[in-house]
Amino acid sequence: MSIVGQRIKWLREQKQWSQLQLAEKLGIHNTVLSRIESGDKKGVDAHLISKVADLFEVSTDFLHGRTEEPSWQRGSVRETPATFLDVDGLTEKDLIEVKRHIEFLKWKALQEKSEDPS
């Protein structure tokens, strides 16, 4: 069994969903999901990995076995959001984009500050 398959199966079981239920949510046939979970299917599509990560609100790093943290934890934008910033319902991809915008605004402010002679 592959790490991706193990992680997907574990997440599915945490929700007490059948393979059929999860397959429907992902828009794939349940036999495909069965092959992924058992490790028979090699090279799971990146788009499908992203869909699984979004559905279960975990990182793709968790699904690939690069981290043991299944949820948005260390290093995440969600960890210390500004109190006025409502991030509910945003995916990790959305949060990364928000972070990029904030970093750009900070950079822009520094540029403007360095140009101001007063």
Side-chain angles (χ1 to χ4, degrees):
M1 185 182 293
S2 72
I3 189 69
V4 172
Q6 290 173 351
R7 297 281 169 100
I8 291 173
K9 181 178 180 179
W10 181 80
L11 290 165
R12 178 179 61 77
E13 289 174 346
Q14 296 306 301
K15 295 275 190 182
Q16 298 180 341
W17 291 342
S18 68
Q19 282 185 340
L20 184 59
Q21 289 171 310
L22 177 55
E24 287 175 357
K25 292 175 188 306
L26 296 172
I28 62 175
H29 197 275
N30 65 305
T31 57
V32 173
L33 179 58
S34 176
R35 291 182 62 226
I36 291 169
E37 287 187 359
S38 69
D40 290 341
K41 181 167 177 24
K42 305 294 181 209
V44 181
D45 178 78
H47 179 71
L48 182 59
I49 295 280
S50 292
K51 284 175 78 171
V52 171
D54 289 345
L55 180 64
F56 288 106
E57 296 186 334
V58 298
S59 69
T60 55
D61 280 348
F62 172 75
L63 292 173
H64 287 291
R66 295 183 191 121
T67 181
E68 296 302 313
E69 290 295 332
S71 61
W72 315 104
Q73 304 257 332
R74 276 180 275 137
S76 172
V77 177
R78 196 179 292 274
E79 184 177 308
T80 55
T83 56
F84 64 87
L85 191 60
D86 180 10
V87 296
D88 288 344
L90 297 180
T91 65
E92 184 71 3
K93 185 177 178 181
D94 295 332
L95 293 172
I96 290 168
E97 187 68 22
V98 168
K99 184 178 180 184
R100 285 187 186 137
H101 284 285
I102 291 170
E103 288 170 354
F104 171 75
L105 292 173
K106 288 169 60 177
W107 174 83
K108 185 177 168 187
L110 283 173
Q111 296 301 310
E112 291 172 357
K113 186 177 180 180
S114 67
E115 293 174 1
D116 189 332
S118 53

